[in-house]
Structures are given as C-alpha cells and as structure tokens.
Amino acid sequence: MMAEEKRNNKLGQQIVKALKARHFDAYYCISKEEASDKIMSLIPDNNVVSWGGSTTMEELGIIERVKKTNTVIDRAEAKSPEERTELMRKALLCDTYLMSTNAITEDGELVNIDGNGNRTAAMMFGPKNVIIACGMNKIVKDIPAAISRARNTAAPINANRFDVQTPCNATGVCADCKSAQSVCTYIVRTRLSKPQGRIKVVLIGEALGF
C-alpha cells in the first residue's frame, strides 16, 4: 500500500466519524469501483433521481448507471433554456439527488459554491435523499480553507468548463467579482444533516473532481 493511500485511509475514517457526529450517514470507500457500487446501493429502485453538475459522479460512472435502473430528471435532455430551467425546478422534488461537494473540513462540515443555487437548494431541502460523493482531494483543515478551495480552485475550473464571462475564467484566479455570470452566487456551509441521515456522504480514497 502506497503512503498516500495509507494516509487517505486513516484520514478518511476520521472524517467519517466527524460526519456521523454531525448526523450525516457517511462511508469510506478505498476505490472508485467500491464507491460506485456503494452509491448505487443507497438508491432505492423506485426512486426518481436527479443530480447537479457533478464531475465526480460522472467519473464514478454513476450517471450512466442510474439511467439504466431508475427514472431520472436530466436537464441535459432539455430542448431549450426554458425547459432546462423547468427540469432543474422539478429536480428539487425528486426522491434522490446526486452531487459532489466543493470541500469537507476535517471537523465534518461541507462548503459549496453555486452559480444558480439549484444544487445547494436541493442539498438543503426538497429531495428525500441526498448522496454526496467526495474524493479525498477535497478534504481541508477548516471553513476558511474550504471557502478558499471552493473559490480559488473549483470556481475558476467551473467557469472555464461552462465558458462563462468572468474574470476567473480569463485569469484562473478569483477576483471576488460581481459578474452577472458569476459561478459564486451562493456560498453554503452545511453544519449538520437534518433530518438525521438524509444527507449521505461517500468519501473515496482517490482524487476525483475539482
């Protein structure tokens, strides 16, 4: 076992304990394959499933797997911007919502930045079941480090991915902008899962997403 893998396994177990103390259901999986199977086991067969734009879930193969097993609400199937918005609204009342997180602190808190707010809204209220997949590259020391990671690492990459006209897309560095296309509209700190166990966090002992 490589030194990084050993470190991830030890830290991962500590993060799981911290998350459980905050009423999340939490699991640690060594590999992507193990995590993919675990996530699928947490989705009831009769659930309507939707998701936020999650590179981590895509890397795990979950999106393609769940399309074969469940009824889904997929905004990518929209034929117009108006239909896309309507599908995003419907996703707020799905049974199981899939997403990643921008950062998790060593004390078990989650920090997420969102441009439209649909992902953070679903995390907070609406879907009966929220499943979050998170690579160990997103574990940080504390809330300031989590916000910094979300704004200085995740946001510029997302701005580039969606090709929005923001300073961070042009420079790769957060400018604390007020652009109409900002991907940092909402910054949400999640201290607890309420009701207990509604939010399920699957940690993966690999680097996934950004």
Side-chain angles (χ1 to χ4, degrees):
M1 185 181 292
M2 301 292 289
E4 184 178 2
E5 185 178 351
K6 289 181 180 179
R7 175 263 185 189
N8 283 346
N9 292 347
K10 291 176 181 178
L11 178 58
Q13 296 302 329
Q14 293 303 311
I15 303 300
V16 164
K17 290 179 183 178
L19 288 164
K20 288 181 175 179
R22 293 181 178 275
H23 315 307
F24 298 92
D25 281 353
Y27 311 88
Y28 181 76
C29 297
I30 294 174
S31 66
K32 289 189 292 187
E33 293 75 20
E34 182 183 341
S36 181
D37 288 342
K38 183 63 185 179
I39 290 168
M40 291 302 299
S41 77
L42 296 173
I43 305 172
D45 293 339
N46 63 346
N47 271 203
V48 175
V49 181
S50 193
W51 51 86
S54 172
T55 300
T56 298
M57 286 292 182
E58 292 174 0
E59 290 176 348
L60 291 172
I62 294 297
I63 303 304
E64 292 306 314
R65 288 185 69 174
V66 80
K67 286 180 179 179
K68 297 175 182 177
T69 58
N70 291 75
T71 300
V72 302
I73 299 171
D74 184 1
R75 66 186 183 185
E77 296 178 355
K79 303 297 190 297
S80 67
E82 293 77 17
E83 184 182 0
R84 179 182 173 88
T85 298
E86 188 58 30
L87 288 174
M88 289 164 69
R89 287 176 174 164
K90 288 182 178 179
L92 297 176
L93 294 176
C94 72
D95 298 305
T96 292
Y97 194 84
L98 307 172
M99 58 180 287
S100 187
T101 182
N102 294 133
I104 300 179
T105 70
E106 291 179 3
D107 193 37
E109 295 190 65
L110 280 56
V111 168
N112 283 279
I113 279 185
D114 211 354
N116 295 314
N118 60 297
R119 186 174 62 101
T120 49
M123 178 180 62
M124 290 187 288
F125 187 81
K128 301 171 186 176
N129 194 33
V130 176
I131 302 174
I132 295 175
C134 179
M136 289 298 290
N137 53 310
K138 297 183 180 182
I139 303 301
V140 297
K141 187 68 179 176
D142 52 25
I143 292 296
I147 294 173
S148 177
R149 186 187 189 284
R151 300 200 72 176
N152 296 297
T153 300
I157 295 173
N158 272 322
N160 183 263
R161 186 160 65 111
F162 297 118
D163 195 26
V164 294
Q165 301 307 304
T166 59
C168 68
N169 188 18
T171 67
V173 177
C174 178
D176 195 27
C177 77
K178 297 180 178 65
S179 167
Q181 296 191 42
S182 173
V183 295
C184 297
T185 309
Y186 304 97
I187 302 176
V188 175
R189 172 182 178 179
T190 306
R191 296 183 56 252
L192 307 168
S193 173
K194 187 177 182 180
Q196 181 169 347
R198 174 180 171 268
I199 301 176
K200 299 162 180 62
V201 180
V202 178
L203 292 176
I204 305 106
E206 300 186 27
L208 292 166
F210 42 78

